[in-house]
Amino acid sequence: MDKSGNPALKPSALDRLRLLESSDTATVGGTIFKTLILFAFVIIGAFLGWRMAANNAESLGLVLISSSIGGMILGFTTIFVPKISPFTSPVYSLVQGILLGAISQILNTEYDGIAIQALLLTGGVFVSVLFLYSSRIVKVTAKLRAVVLIATLAIALYYVTAFIASLFGSSLPLIYDGGTFGIIFSLIVVFVAALNLLLDFDFIERTAASGMPKLFEWYGAFSLMVTLIWLYIEILRLLAKIRR
């Protein structure tokens, strides 16, 4: 199978899905329907996270930490045990929604209207990428997949390094910087996230055509939510930098 920058769509994870027995095969339409279900869970979680951040400032740190760790555990669990994706992906979406809602409320308090702007831009990017892919204006080639994968891994490595550095009281530039280079960095990250979305569409279509089990609809929806959540966070970060 072709590579994708999304860790949920790695060949090793999909190989585990192929081992599952199923009397039916996955379809793109079924994956889209289940993506809408997971999106509804994200919205519910975001509403709860927003309310928690607005009404319980003293426990905000706990909400952010628990939802971050919980989302990470659920995400990796789904990747390594894909047969439970019908159960873990809705919970993952709900928990990540809580995290997004809390973060959005914090930034929206400082920059009025930034949350709705980020949501609209994320939706706009999603629709635009879907149009470019479905109309074949942009064709996904092996070279494009390789470039996006390398760029995604580089960004992930930089973020992990920044996190480790923060544990020792240090910080790396660009991620939170509001200057010109910080904004350019965020623009690049948003662009790479959008390209991952393009690759995800292609990967899901190819996998559905190859006769993957029906269960892949839940797993494919989960992988799309991983990219969309990342895209929203990066757009939110970019808007915050611009408005400083």
Side-chain angles (χ1 to χ4, degrees):
M1 296 300 295
D2 296 315
K3 292 183 178 180
S4 168
N6 191 331
L9 294 179
K10 294 298 182 185
S12 58
L14 295 176
D15 287 340
R16 288 188 285 272
L17 274 171
R18 290 191 183 90
L19 298 176
L20 301 176
E21 295 182 358
S22 176
S23 59
D24 201 358
T25 57
T27 64
V28 174
T31 302
I32 293 174
F33 177 72
K34 290 175 175 61
T35 300
L36 294 176
I37 294 176
L38 296 187
F39 182 72
F41 276 95
V42 172
I43 294 300
I44 294 172
F47 174 77
L48 296 175
W50 186 286
R51 293 291 300 273
M52 291 177 186
N55 301 327
N56 300 285
E58 64 280 357
S59 60
L60 181 57
L62 179 62
V63 172
L64 293 174
I65 294 175
S66 59
S67 57
S68 297
I69 296 176
M72 183 170 58
I73 292 174
L74 286 165
F76 280 109
T77 300
T78 304
I79 292 172
F80 287 108
V81 192
K83 66 181 180 180
I84 63 174
S85 59
F87 309 101
T88 55
S89 54
V91 182
Y92 167 84
S93 300
L94 183 67
V95 171
Q96 289 295 87
I98 293 175
L99 176 63
L100 296 183
I103 294 175
S104 298
Q105 199 281 331
I106 295 171
L107 289 177
N108 200 73
T109 300
E110 187 172 357
Y111 308 107
D112 185 44
I114 193 174
I116 189 62
Q117 292 173 0
L119 182 61
L120 290 175
L121 284 173
T122 302
V125 171
F126 177 83
V127 172
S128 299
V129 173
L130 180 59
F131 171 75
L132 291 173
Y133 173 74
S134 60
S135 63
R136 299 299 189 260
I137 294 177
V138 176
K139 296 182 179 180
V140 179
T141 64
K143 181 179 293 186
L144 177 62
R145 295 187 192 97
V147 171
V148 175
L149 178 61
I150 293 172
T152 303
L153 291 176
I155 292 170
L157 179 61
Y158 189 81
Y159 276 25
V160 170
T161 304
F163 173 74
I164 295 175
S166 68
L167 298 179
F168 296 93
S170 301
S171 62
L172 296 183
L174 301 179
I175 296 180
Y176 301 104
D177 292 351
T180 301
F181 290 107
I183 292 175
I184 292 175
F185 174 79
S186 288
L187 283 171
I188 293 174
V189 175
V190 168
F191 182 68
V192 172
L195 289 180
N196 269 281
L197 198 59
L198 180 68
L199 264 60
D200 290 342
F201 290 143
D202 175 73
F203 202 97
I204 289 172
E205 184 179 47
R206 288 171 179 266
T207 307
S210 69
M212 290 288 285
K214 192 71 173 177
L215 179 62
F216 180 76
E217 292 179 353
W218 279 110
Y219 192 78
F222 159 76
S223 69
L224 277 178
M225 292 313 303
V226 170
T227 303
L228 283 172
I229 289 170
W230 177 36
L231 180 63
Y232 174 82
I233 290 176
E234 295 301 336
I235 289 178
L236 195 64
R237 194 197 311 274
L238 172 62
L239 291 176
K241 290 180 178 181
I242 294 174
R243 295 182 60 174
R244 285 180 185 172

